[in-house]
Amino acid sequence: MKRFYAERLLKISRFSSLLAQLCQAGRSKQRVSESLRATGFYQDAVQFEEDCRDLGMLVAAAETKRLIYGLDKDLKAEQLSELAHCIIKVLESELSTNHFLKLRAGYADLMLPMAHFGEVVALVFPGAASDIAEASACLALERYQGCVFHSMLVLEHGLKWICAELAIPFPPYDQWLEIIKDIEKAIGKIEAPKTDVPGRERRELLAGAASHFRMVKDGWRNHVTHGRASYGSDASEAIYRSVRQIMIDLAEYEEKKP
């Protein structure tokens, strides 16, 4: 799937209008390359050829290259007009066989290759990068089940981190309930005196995370894993934001550790 902004289609439309004007001058025997260059037509043609190529409209790109060559050779208006007619016909044909997807306003950045959960999460949990990218893209594309599914896979990295923090083995089988029970049992054994501020903060963080994971398991993960629920825009985004925040909390704590 190619990504581009709608303004590029507007530029194509604008250039098509310029081509139409050139077609109207088709009976002229004059050489018009210099005057066209003065209006920026030549630069528009170069940009148009690049846009067509990027969008996969290769025939239109090739025909535009012929027009650019004609401008370089200072062809007469009637000759350039014939090339312009050909581009318009090809462009109409190629646009009819291409489909364009519009994303909701404010969601386009979720499709970009960037750290959607922040740089600290990317640094502490590099193994989660793929699922973070998939969850983000699914949210942007309104593939809500996929967003929730990949968000749950991201959380597994947080779950493994907590197990490592508490020196609990992370079992090879996919049983969150047993893992969470082991985590809660280990947290219950942590003694943090009132004077031990770092110790109390660590215990509160782990306890809060364990509570979050239990809520996720009961409220979301079990249902999406077994196909027992469907999620809409609001629910999937709430899950995505919730997962993002817990991963940020864990990553920031890991970063601050001495």
Side-chain angles (χ1 to χ4, degrees):
M1 180 172 60
K2 294 181 180 294
R3 302 186 182 101
F4 64 96
Y5 289 95
E7 64 181 282
R8 298 182 72 178
L9 283 179
L10 290 176
K11 288 180 180 178
I12 288 176
S13 176
R14 175 175 173 269
F15 186 73
S16 297
S17 298
L18 293 175
L19 288 174
Q21 293 173 24
L22 181 57
C23 290
Q24 292 173 4
R27 295 179 182 178
S28 173
K29 301 291 185 180
Q30 295 179 351
R31 300 185 185 279
V32 294
S33 293
E34 286 302 319
S35 60
L36 287 174
R37 286 177 184 274
T39 64
F41 182 87
Y42 186 91
Q43 290 75 14
D44 286 338
V46 172
Q47 183 64 56
F48 180 80
E49 188 271 334
E50 180 183 332
D51 287 339
C52 286
R53 195 161 16 89
D54 287 348
L55 295 176
M57 297 188 292
L58 302 183
V59 180
E63 292 298 331
T64 305
K65 208 154 194 175
R66 290 179 61 202
L67 176 66
I68 294 170
Y69 179 79
L71 291 168
D72 288 335
K73 293 299 181 180
D74 196 21
L75 296 181
K76 295 177 181 178
E78 62 180 354
Q79 295 169 303
L80 293 174
S81 175
E82 291 178 5
L83 294 173
H85 272 296
C86 186
I87 293 173
I88 290 176
K89 289 180 179 179
V90 169
L91 181 62
E92 289 175 350
S93 177
E94 290 203 297
L95 283 174
S96 69
T97 60
N98 279 270
H99 300 279
F100 301 97
L101 178 66
K102 178 186 178 299
L103 299 178
R104 293 173 293 166
Y107 287 81
D109 285 352
L110 292 176
M111 296 291 295
L112 299 178
M114 56 190 291
H116 296 291
F117 280 19
E119 295 296 337
V120 66
V121 174
L123 181 65
V124 175
F125 299 104
S130 176
D131 284 304
I132 290 174
E134 288 298 320
S136 303
C138 284
L139 182 59
L141 293 170
E142 301 180 35
R143 309 302 294 177
Y144 300 126
Q145 294 292 90
C147 174
V148 176
F149 176 77
H150 285 287
S151 294
M152 297 302 100
L153 293 181
V154 172
L155 271 185
E156 287 204 358
H157 292 274
L159 196 61
K160 290 178 182 178
W161 179 89
I162 293 178
C163 287
E165 179 72 12
L166 293 170
I168 298 172
F170 190 86
Y173 52 85
D174 186 20
Q175 289 291 334
W176 274 33
L177 179 59
E178 298 305 319
I179 299 171
I180 292 172
K181 284 181 179 179
D182 291 342
I183 289 173
E184 291 174 338
K185 190 181 300 182
I187 292 173
K189 295 178 180 179
I190 297 176
E191 295 183 2
K194 292 182 179 181
T195 54
D196 182 8
V197 176
R200 283 191 291 112
E201 289 180 348
R202 174 174 179 268
R203 191 181 190 286
E204 288 172 3
L205 173 78
L206 295 173
S211 175
H212 182 88
F213 279 111
R214 181 176 282 278
M215 177 188 70
V216 167
K217 181 193 74 69
D218 294 338
W220 304 328
R221 182 178 181 275
N222 289 350
H223 299 299
V224 74
T225 301
H226 301 291
R228 293 199 298 261
S230 59
Y231 297 89
S233 172
D234 293 341
S236 63
E237 183 153 357
I239 293 168
Y240 176 86
R241 304 296 177 194
S242 177
V243 170
R244 183 178 187 275
Q245 188 57 56
I246 189 62
M247 294 301 291
I248 289 174
D249 291 343
L250 296 179
E252 288 180 345
Y253 176 81
E254 176 66 21
E255 276 286 279
K256 293 176 183 177
K257 285 169 60 177

